[in-house]
Amino acid sequence: MMLLQAVPLQDQHILQAVEHDWHGDLIDFLRGQVPKLIAVFLILFILQRIVMFLVHRLQKRADIYVANFHRAAQLRTIASIVRATSYAVLAFIALMQILNIFNIDYKPILASAGIIGVGIGLGAQSMFKDMINGILILIEDQYNVGEVVTIAGLKGTVEELSLRSTRVRDGDGTLYIVPNSQIATVSNFSRDYSIASLPVSVDASANPDRVMDILRKLADQVRNDPAFKDIAISDPDILGVNEIRGREVIYPVNIRVRANQRDPVLRALRRRIILVFEKEGIPLGISSNMLLMQQKPDPTAPPAQQPLIG
């Protein structure tokens, strides 16, 4: 009988001890760790709001620079880099602080991460090349968000730039994600100015002096048009007879315009040339390739009728 009563009493003491320890640990956690966690998250929240404030300020400053497109693109790029980098740093700091609060020794974790990092680094060298090249792109100011560029054989508008990759969207709406390590040559169409160049093909029967005079008048009309007066930044340059290809004569017309503003000027100039040349009776040139195609006999045509010999 004494043995049967001893077992339940022992179990009861164990349960009371476990309950007391659990209750004590919970109180210690609420008194010790919870305030520290709240302080860490509060500080991280304040830092995150400061980062967002700086990013919004940079974006608003970029919106102010309407006339200086290059400066606005620089500010947007810096805002994107600051946001991405700050979030990564804040996440790493939060992880270290949480491990420290729970008395978890993070030094072995960092050592293990370093060993794993060496192994990953050997197999992910391209990622480090991406980041190094991304840093060089930013330092050398090769291009910014919003600029039209050609990188890795792809032409489009830069939508996002990070240390890892560049996102470019072309005229068809296709988004390309290009690793920065693959960017060897950059063609930037949004810096300083562009040249709206139009090679006009005219038939050799037209008087060259008359053709150049008409082209000069049309180019001046486009230059002084209210729609393009702020886009074209210099007077047109009519270079004269640049090339002769059989019956085809090439007259280049160049107009210096603001960066990445060539297309509307060229469309207006082409329209005026077609209308005026038709009115003045000036024939447009036909390339020699088209002449050869027209003279080449049709292999599907029936054989020519042989004349009868009497």
Side-chain angles (χ1 to χ4, degrees):
M1 292 295 293
M2 294 179 62
L3 291 174
L4 294 175
Q5 292 178 355
V7 174
L9 290 175
Q10 186 178 2
D11 293 342
Q12 186 176 3
H13 287 306
I14 293 174
L15 291 175
Q16 289 177 355
V18 171
E19 183 179 357
H20 181 270
D21 293 340
W22 177 82
H23 185 69
D25 292 340
L26 179 61
I27 292 175
D28 292 340
F29 175 76
L30 293 176
R31 289 179 179 178
Q33 280 80 11
V34 170
K36 294 180 181 179
L37 287 173
I38 294 175
V40 169
F41 285 116
L42 181 61
I43 294 173
L44 289 175
F45 176 76
I46 294 173
L47 293 176
Q48 188 266 344
R49 298 306 300 174
I50 293 174
V51 170
M52 290 305 300
F53 173 76
L54 294 176
V55 169
H56 287 314
R57 289 283 295 178
L58 288 173
Q59 292 176 345
K60 288 182 179 179
R61 293 281 295 178
D63 295 335
I64 295 175
Y65 289 98
V66 178
N68 193 343
F69 175 80
H70 177 62
R71 180 59 177 168
Q74 282 183 326
L75 292 175
R76 292 191 182 95
T77 303
I78 293 173
S80 177
I81 298 298
V82 168
R83 182 175 60 249
T85 306
S86 300
Y87 284 174
V89 173
L90 291 177
F92 179 77
I93 293 174
L95 177 62
M96 293 296 100
Q97 292 300 320
I98 291 173
L99 292 176
N100 190 26
I101 290 173
F102 286 99
N103 296 322
I104 299 175
D105 190 6
Y106 54 82
K107 293 180 181 178
I109 298 176
L110 293 178
S112 301
I115 296 173
I116 296 173
V118 173
I120 294 175
L122 295 175
Q125 295 181 4
S126 61
M127 182 179 296
F128 295 101
K129 292 179 181 178
D130 293 338
M131 298 181 67
I132 292 174
N133 204 22
I135 294 173
L136 293 176
I137 290 172
L138 292 174
I139 293 175
E140 297 175 358
D141 192 23
Q142 297 180 13
Y143 55 85
N144 294 293
V145 175
E147 294 184 340
V148 179
V149 298
T150 297
I151 55 176
L154 302 171
K155 181 179 179 180
T157 303
V158 179
E159 286 198 348
E160 185 178 345
L161 171 60
S162 66
L163 297 180
R164 171 71 177 82
S165 62
T166 300
R167 295 173 180 264
V168 178
R169 191 177 297 274
D170 65 8
D172 297 331
T174 305
L175 180 64
Y176 300 98
I177 303 175
V178 183
N180 290 333
S181 61
Q182 296 184 8
I183 301 174
T185 304
V186 176
S187 300
N188 197 324
F189 300 92
S190 302
R191 294 291 174 88
D192 300 331
Y193 63 88
S194 300
I195 301 295
S197 181
L198 179 63
V200 181
S201 174
V202 181
D203 190 82
S205 61
N207 187 338
D209 296 333
R210 183 164 172 256
V211 171
M212 288 187 292
D213 184 59
I214 293 175
L215 290 176
R216 186 173 292 104
K217 290 180 180 178
L218 294 177
D220 289 334
Q221 291 177 8
V222 174
R223 166 76 170 90
N224 298 319
D225 193 310
F228 308 110
K229 195 171 183 180
D230 295 332
I231 296 178
I233 59 178
S234 67
D235 293 332
D237 188 11
I238 311 300
L239 301 179
V241 178
N242 187 65
E243 192 174 354
I244 299 176
R245 307 170 185 168
R247 297 288 304 173
E248 184 185 19
V249 182
I250 307 300
Y251 299 85
V253 180
N254 293 338
I255 303 177
R256 181 174 294 188
V257 298
R258 296 192 180 277
N260 200 29
Q261 296 292 326
R262 294 177 298 179
D263 291 341
V265 174
L266 291 176
R267 293 190 191 102
L269 184 59
R270 292 189 190 100
R271 175 181 173 274
R272 292 174 185 266
I273 288 174
I274 291 174
L275 294 176
V276 173
F277 275 28
E278 182 70 20
K279 181 180 178 180
E280 298 292 334
I282 298 177
L284 294 175
I286 301 176
S287 65
S288 57
N289 293 332
M290 294 184 63
L291 290 174
L292 291 174
M293 290 178 63
Q294 292 177 357
Q295 295 175 359
K296 186 177 179 179
D298 187 1
T300 61
Q305 188 74 23
Q306 296 296 329
L308 297 176
I309 299 177

